[in-house]
DNA sequence: AACTCGGGGCA
DNA sequence: TGCCCAGAGTT
């Protein structure tokens, strides 16, 4: 894929989703870790509403543990999968205190062992809390990137590497959110709106009778 | 790779 | 109501 075409795709996505509210609010690696765990199957907008209240008094492993699983559940219950998340967050706080001196680790293989933290959450923390280059590939980023030809790789890891190679570094964060928005609003998994898609002329998927790319 | 979990958003 | 997930964990 040429640089010009990538530029056209990014410009189109920006014109479509540049104004959308996106991204998690956080003031520390720990806050981002908790917010990202909460964001599973839940929009950033909703997570931000919850954490704005939660982090006022509970923004460290110690204070979260003082709040307790029940207290935490009451505060995050609108995020979906709340019982599981509350349990995992409490377990993660325990492990941060006992194994990491209360500090969020900056290594992928360590982050991913924390309860409630998978490769997507770990990737988000790595790329946003620490200055470590990464693009978090979730289901939307994965699907949209492959369909429009931004990343021709087949596995999540390959798509991630391809995106990092082809997208200018200063656009990584924005491109990530734009791809997610496009995946939700237009390039959906089951019934993509290819007819109304602004990327149709640039896309290989739309001309292939919607066969999974 | 396929399945489960499980609450909110949306038509 | 019914269907779908801005995932993770388990088999």
């Amino acid at each position: 894929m040429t640089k010009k075409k990538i530029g056209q795709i990014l410009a189109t996505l920006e014109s479509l989703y540049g104004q959308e509210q996106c991204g998690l609010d956080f003031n520390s690696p720990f806050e981002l870790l908790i917010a990202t765990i909460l964001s599973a199957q839940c929009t950033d907008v909703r997570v931000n509403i919850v954490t704005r209240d939660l982090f006022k008094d509970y923004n460290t492993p110690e204070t979260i543990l003082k709040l307790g699983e029940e207290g935490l559940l009451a505060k995050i219950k609108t995020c979906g999968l709340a019982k599981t998340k509350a349990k995992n967050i409490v377990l993660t706080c325990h492990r941060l205190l006992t194994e990491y001196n209360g500090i969020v680790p900056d290594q992928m293989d360590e982050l991913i062992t924390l309860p409630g933290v998978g490769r997507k959450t770990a990737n988000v923390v790595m790329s946003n809390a620490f200055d470590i280059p990464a693009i978090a590939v979730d289901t939307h980023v994965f699907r949209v990137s492959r369909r429009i030809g931004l990343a021709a790789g087949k596995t999540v890891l390959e798509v991630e590497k391809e995106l990092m190679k082809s997208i200018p570094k200063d656009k990584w964060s924005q491109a990530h959110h734009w791809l997610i928005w496009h995946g939700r609003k237009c390039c959906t998994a089951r019934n993509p709106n290819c007819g109304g898609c602004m990327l149709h002329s640039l896309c290989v998927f739309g001309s292939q009778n919607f066969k999974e790319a």
Side-chain angles (χ1 to χ4, degrees):
Chain A
M1 164 157 285
T2 64
K3 270 188 178 172
K4 184 182 174 184
K5 198 163 171 184
I6 292 169
Q8 287 179 321
I9 289 174
L10 293 178
T12 304
L13 288 173
E14 178 167 18
S15 70
L16 287 173
Y17 310 111
Q19 306 303 318
E20 299 284 359
Q21 182 184 356
C22 58
L24 296 167
D25 297 334
F26 65 97
N27 293 306
S28 68
F30 179 76
E31 286 190 2
L32 176 61
L33 176 63
I34 301 305
T36 311
I37 291 175
L38 290 175
S39 76
Q41 300 294 89
C42 179
T43 65
D44 286 359
V45 175
R46 178 162 297 279
V47 171
N48 286 338
I49 292 173
V50 168
T51 56
R52 195 151 49 228
D53 172 56
L54 177 68
F55 291 157
K56 265 191 299 189
D57 298 310
Y58 309 98
N59 62 351
T60 62
E62 292 90 341
T63 51
I64 294 275
L65 288 179
K66 199 173 294 178
L67 178 60
E69 188 174 325
E70 291 303 317
L72 180 60
L73 176 59
K75 286 188 175 298
I76 69 172
K77 60 173 183 289
T78 59
C79 284
L81 310 179
K83 287 177 190 167
T84 306
K85 288 173 182 173
K87 188 161 65 175
N88 283 335
I89 288 172
V90 167
L91 288 172
T92 286
C93 287
H94 270 299
R95 290 207 34 213
L96 286 179
L97 286 175
T98 57
E99 298 176 30
Y100 297 101
N101 207 14
I103 307 296
V104 178
D106 62 355
Q107 297 299 315
M108 192 69 172
D109 55 347
E110 292 177 336
L111 279 170
I112 211 161
T113 67
L114 297 172
V117 179
R119 67 163 283 107
K120 191 253 179 180
T121 298
N123 210 331
V124 169
V125 173
M126 292 286 284
S127 59
N128 291 304
F130 309 108
D131 195 17
I132 296 166
I135 294 180
V137 175
D138 53 50
T139 55
H140 285 322
V141 175
F142 184 63
R143 181 181 66 253
V144 177
S145 298
R146 302 206 312 175
R147 282 179 178 172
I148 65 179
L150 248 185
K154 290 188 186 269
T155 68
V156 173
L157 212 60
E158 285 168 355
V159 169
E160 186 181 316
K161 284 165 66 178
E162 185 66 28
L163 286 176
M164 289 167 64
K165 199 173 76 177
S166 55
I167 297 176
K169 202 167 175 178
D170 62 328
K171 296 258 185 189
W172 283 3
S173 177
Q174 295 176 69
H176 166 78
H177 288 293
W178 296 339
L179 289 169
I180 288 175
W181 275 102
H182 196 60
R184 290 192 58 183
K185 298 205 164 191
C186 181
C187 194
T188 56
R190 298 204 329 178
N191 293 310
N193 181 20
C194 294
C197 179
M198 298 294 287
L199 295 174
H200 188 68
S201 63
L202 299 166
C203 180
V204 289
F205 176 70
S207 59
Q208 289 177 350
N209 296 321
F210 307 151
K211 288 201 174 83
E212 188 60 63

